[in-house]
Amino acid sequence: MAQGSGDQRAVGIADPEESSPNMIVYRKIEDIITKMQDDKTGGVPIRTVKSFLSKIPSVVTGTDIVQWLMKNLSIEDPVEAIHLGSLIAAQGYVFPISDHVLTLKDDGTFYRFQAPYFWPSNCWEPENTDYAIYLCKRTMQNKARLELADYEAENLARLQRAFARKWEFIFMQAEAQVKIDRKKDKTERKILDSQERAFWDVHRPVPGCVNTTEMDIRKCRRLKNPQKVKKSVYGVTEESQSQSPVHVPSQPIRKTTREDVRKQITFLNAQIDRHCLKMSKVAESLIAYTEQYVEYDPLITPAEPSNPWISDDIALWDIEMSKEPSQQRVKRWGFSFDEILKDQVGRDQFLRFLESEFSSENLRFWLAVQDLKKQPLQDVARRVEEIWQEFLAPGAASAINLDSHSYEITSQNVKDGGRYTFEDAQEHIYKLMKSDSYARFLRSNAYQDLLSAKKKVSLLR
């Protein structure tokens, strides 16, 4: 079998300009993949491989695939079998689990078969909202195993800006999918994650890993008529944008110019200037954090008066629910601003302090925005308007002090209000309270008296 256009038709990969639809092409490839996975008819051996402390489920080697193609498709030349396997891999039917290069290697590299749900014959074009849901879902899952690459993080940021008005819907879709995935078996979830990643390797290739197989006729037409292509949500106009959903042939390698070297030098200098922490500093920080919270960990320090889960004595819970905080609880408020915001009694004490300084509107606004995020959808628009009129509208009764940038963004968001309309304003007020009011509260007589357990009753009345 000769390589080139002749072997494409021989193995079922047709020219997109032919009259026969691409569906027939996909069906022929899928017949090969189905036979390859059939153990009863001598398919490729699919096995679970042990790797150090973990197991890699449902994988085959590149050598196994090449040998199967040569045996069952009467191919005599291994190079031709590798070429055919690479064409199949480029369509996403098989994929390597260690990298994003969709080619076939005749060695011990592990590959996995793609789930039929992601096969091209299903004829659904992945949209940018699908990609946004996928990336958003990745941020909610196992960070060590599914951490976003730099180009994916950039794409997520661009998509979030482009879909700002419907991002809440995208986030809810991703959250729902994560909940479903968590109910699945760990091995099944691991396989599904790799299959979904491989699907997006085909439709949103990693920079430098573009597919070189025949393109779908619809994509060819879009390339020939660029004016009909909708503007990408990525907002990137460079010709080298490899994460485009349109597959383009790889460009010929050009010689390195002086400008390229200058850019590389600038990039390396920037990397040298990056702030890095020594491992010793990180360890010291971790030890300090552990020592600070050790007395609040019931597994290390016995709870006083006793642990209700062990002794059936609920006195500790009564103390925690009391509006008279213990000295230990008050001490924890000084660890960080978040600690006092998490504690209902701490928030009440901080609010009283802000009232004495005539700046209680800051905390009341922050709490109102937090409550807005928990409101039923039918009440959100009404609550957004109430918060705007109380804290931000011209002549508001409890006007808060915002910078012009945050105020402008919030003004635009209010026109189409949602649960996260006041996100920028809330962040600005949070930083303002943390850097200014919180520091003064810790130095105030009110907090010092609570900390030393003096005049506690009179202060809380």
Side-chain angles (χ1 to χ4, degrees), residues 419-437:
R419 289 192 177 97
Y420 300 94
T421 297
F422 301 101
E423 196 74 9
D424 289 275
Q426 186 189 33
E427 183 179 1
H428 177 81
I429 292 300
Y430 174 88
K431 292 179 179 179
L432 184 65
M433 291 191 296
K434 181 179 180 180
S435 61
D436 185 27
S437 303

Side-chain angles (χ1 to χ4, degrees), residues 149-169:
D150 291 342
Y151 79 98
E152 290 176 320
E154 293 172 3
N155 288 345
L156 179 60
R158 294 189 184 107
L159 288 164
Q160 191 168 5
R161 289 195 295 269
F163 295 128
R165 294 186 180 274
K166 60 188 301 187
W167 191 253
E168 182 179 354
F169 168 76

Side-chain angles (χ1 to χ4, degrees), residues 199-456:
F199 172 80
W200 289 110
D201 283 344
V202 174
H203 296 278
R204 297 289 192 275
V206 178
C209 297
V210 293
N211 290 337
T212 56
T213 55
E214 291 72 24
M215 291 179 288
D216 182 84
I217 188 169
R218 289 169 294 181
K219 294 180 180 178
C220 287
R221 288 173 179 170
R222 288 201 294 269
L223 285 177
K224 293 177 182 178
N225 299 279
Q227 66 274 12
K228 294 184 180 180
V229 181
K230 294 182 180 180
K231 184 178 179 181
S232 171
V233 299
Y234 298 132
V236 179
T237 58
E238 290 82 7
E239 294 179 358
S240 60
Q241 179 194 352
S242 57
Q243 59 265 39
S244 169
V246 179
H247 300 323
V248 295
S250 58
Q251 300 295 326
I253 300 175
R254 61 182 181 86
K255 293 183 179 179
T256 304
T257 63
R258 182 177 298 180
E259 183 64 24
D260 294 334
V261 175
R262 188 179 292 111
K263 288 181 179 179
Q264 187 177 11
I265 292 173
T266 303
F267 172 77
L268 293 175
N269 285 334
Q271 296 300 308
I272 293 174
D273 294 336
R274 285 181 61 186
H275 178 66
C276 297
L277 286 176
K278 293 182 178 179
M279 183 60 69
S280 58
K281 295 292 184 183
V282 175
E284 289 176 4
S285 176
L286 181 60
I287 292 173
Y289 176 86
T290 305
E291 291 175 346
Q292 186 180 46
Y293 283 91
V294 65
E295 62 180 304
Y296 299 93
D297 190 338
L299 296 177
I300 300 176
T301 304
E304 294 182 0
S306 63
N307 190 333
W309 297 104
I310 299 175
S311 63
D312 291 333
D313 180 7
I314 62 172
L316 177 64
W317 290 341
D318 292 336
I319 293 174
E320 290 296 321
M321 294 175 63
S322 171
K323 292 186 177 180
E324 297 184 4
S326 64
Q327 191 172 7
Q328 185 186 36
R329 187 173 172 184
V330 174
K331 178 182 175 183
R332 186 166 180 169
W333 298 347
F335 291 172
S336 69
F337 187 45
D338 290 326
E339 289 290 348
I340 197 171
L341 290 179
K342 288 189 298 184
D343 192 323
Q344 177 63 50
V345 179
R347 289 199 303 269
D348 293 342
Q349 292 294 333
F350 186 53
L351 181 60
R352 293 183 185 183
F353 171 77
L354 293 178
E355 288 174 348
S356 68
E357 292 197 337
F358 305 100
S359 59
S360 63
E361 66 276 359
N362 289 333
L363 181 58
R364 287 190 286 111
F365 170 75
W366 188 90
L367 293 172
V369 175
Q370 286 294 100
D371 181 66
L372 172 65
K373 298 174 183 178
K374 305 173 185 177
Q375 291 293 321
L377 192 59
Q378 63 268 23
D379 299 337
V380 168
R382 175 184 57 80
R383 188 64 184 131
V384 166
E385 182 62 24
E386 290 176 354
I387 294 174
W388 170 261
Q389 293 297 332
E390 182 179 359
F391 297 102
L392 290 164
S398 303
I400 58 174
N401 186 18
L402 279 186
D403 63 285
S404 58
H405 179 68
S406 299
Y407 186 84
E408 182 179 353
I409 293 176
T410 306
S411 301
Q412 294 296 323
N413 292 343
V414 168
K415 296 177 182 178
D416 186 15
R419 289 192 177 97
Y420 300 94
T421 297
F422 301 101
E423 196 74 9
D424 289 275
Q426 186 189 33
E427 183 179 1
H428 177 81
I429 292 300
Y430 174 88
K431 292 179 179 179
L432 184 65
M433 291 191 296
K434 181 179 180 180
S435 61
D436 185 27
S437 303
Y438 174 64
R440 290 202 304 274
F441 171 73
L442 295 181
R443 296 193 300 267
S444 68
N445 293 332
Y447 177 72
Q448 294 301 325
D449 288 344
L450 285 171
L451 191 61
S452 59
K454 293 178 181 179
K455 302 179 182 179
K456 185 180 297 185

Side-chain angles (χ1 to χ4, degrees), residues 134-151:
Y134 166 70
L135 294 178
C136 190
K137 182 173 67 172
R138 285 265 301 278
T139 63
M140 305 176 188
Q141 293 173 328
N142 189 315
K143 296 295 187 299
R145 184 163 54 86
L146 297 168
E147 185 177 6
L148 293 182
D150 291 342
Y151 79 98

Side-chain angles (χ1 to χ4, degrees), residues 30-46:
E30 287 161 13
D31 287 342
I32 296 175
I33 295 298
T34 303
K35 293 177 181 177
M36 201 178 294
Q37 297 180 76
D38 191 353
D39 292 336
K40 298 179 180 179
T41 58
V44 180
I46 301 174

Side-chain angles (χ1 to χ4, degrees), residues 32-250:
I32 296 175
I33 295 298
T34 303
K35 293 177 181 177
M36 201 178 294
Q37 297 180 76
D38 191 353
D39 292 336
K40 298 179 180 179
T41 58
V44 180
I46 301 174
R47 54 187 180 273
T48 298
V49 180
K50 292 184 179 179
S51 175
F52 192 45
L53 297 177
S54 62
K55 294 182 179 180
I56 307 175
S58 302
V59 293
V60 298
T61 64
T63 301
D64 291 337
I65 296 176
V66 171
Q67 291 178 355
W68 189 94
L69 291 172
M70 294 178 65
K71 177 181 178 181
N72 291 271
L73 299 182
S74 302
I75 301 175
E76 297 180 358
D77 188 356
V79 176
E80 191 171 341
I82 294 172
H83 173 68
L84 173 58
S86 295
L87 294 177
I88 295 174
Q91 296 292 339
Y93 287 99
V94 294
F95 59 90
I97 64 171
S98 58
D99 57 39
H100 300 267
V101 183
L102 299 178
T103 57
L104 183 65
K105 301 176 183 177
D106 188 9
D107 56 20
T109 302
F110 291 128
Y111 292 82
R112 187 170 285 149
F113 289 104
Q114 183 59 282
Y117 175 79
F118 294 114
W119 284 356
S121 60
N122 286 321
C123 287
W124 60 283
E125 286 274 343
E127 298 179 355
N128 290 317
T129 51
D130 299 323
Y131 192 44
I133 291 171
Y134 166 70
L135 294 178
C136 190
K137 182 173 67 172
R138 285 265 301 278
T139 63
M140 305 176 188
Q141 293 173 328
N142 189 315
K143 296 295 187 299
R145 184 163 54 86
L146 297 168
E147 185 177 6
L148 293 182
D150 291 342
Y151 79 98
E152 290 176 320
E154 293 172 3
N155 288 345
L156 179 60
R158 294 189 184 107
L159 288 164
Q160 191 168 5
R161 289 195 295 269
F163 295 128
R165 294 186 180 274
K166 60 188 301 187
W167 191 253
E168 182 179 354
F169 168 76
I170 291 173
F171 185 86
M172 291 171 63
Q173 289 287 323
E175 201 171 33
Q177 291 186 22
V178 169
K179 289 181 180 178
I180 294 173
D181 289 344
R182 285 174 179 166
K183 295 179 182 178
K184 297 178 181 177
D185 178 73
K186 182 178 180 181
T187 301
E188 181 185 0
R189 189 166 66 244
K190 186 176 182 180
I191 294 173
L192 181 60
D193 289 339
S194 68
Q195 290 171 335
E196 193 171 11
R197 184 213 71 180
F199 172 80
W200 289 110
D201 283 344
V202 174
H203 296 278
R204 297 289 192 275
V206 178
C209 297
V210 293
N211 290 337
T212 56
T213 55
E214 291 72 24
M215 291 179 288
D216 182 84
I217 188 169
R218 289 169 294 181
K219 294 180 180 178
C220 287
R221 288 173 179 170
R222 288 201 294 269
L223 285 177
K224 293 177 182 178
N225 299 279
Q227 66 274 12
K228 294 184 180 180
V229 181
K230 294 182 180 180
K231 184 178 179 181
S232 171
V233 299
Y234 298 132
V236 179
T237 58
E238 290 82 7
E239 294 179 358
S240 60
Q241 179 194 352
S242 57
Q243 59 265 39
S244 169
V246 179
H247 300 323
V248 295
S250 58

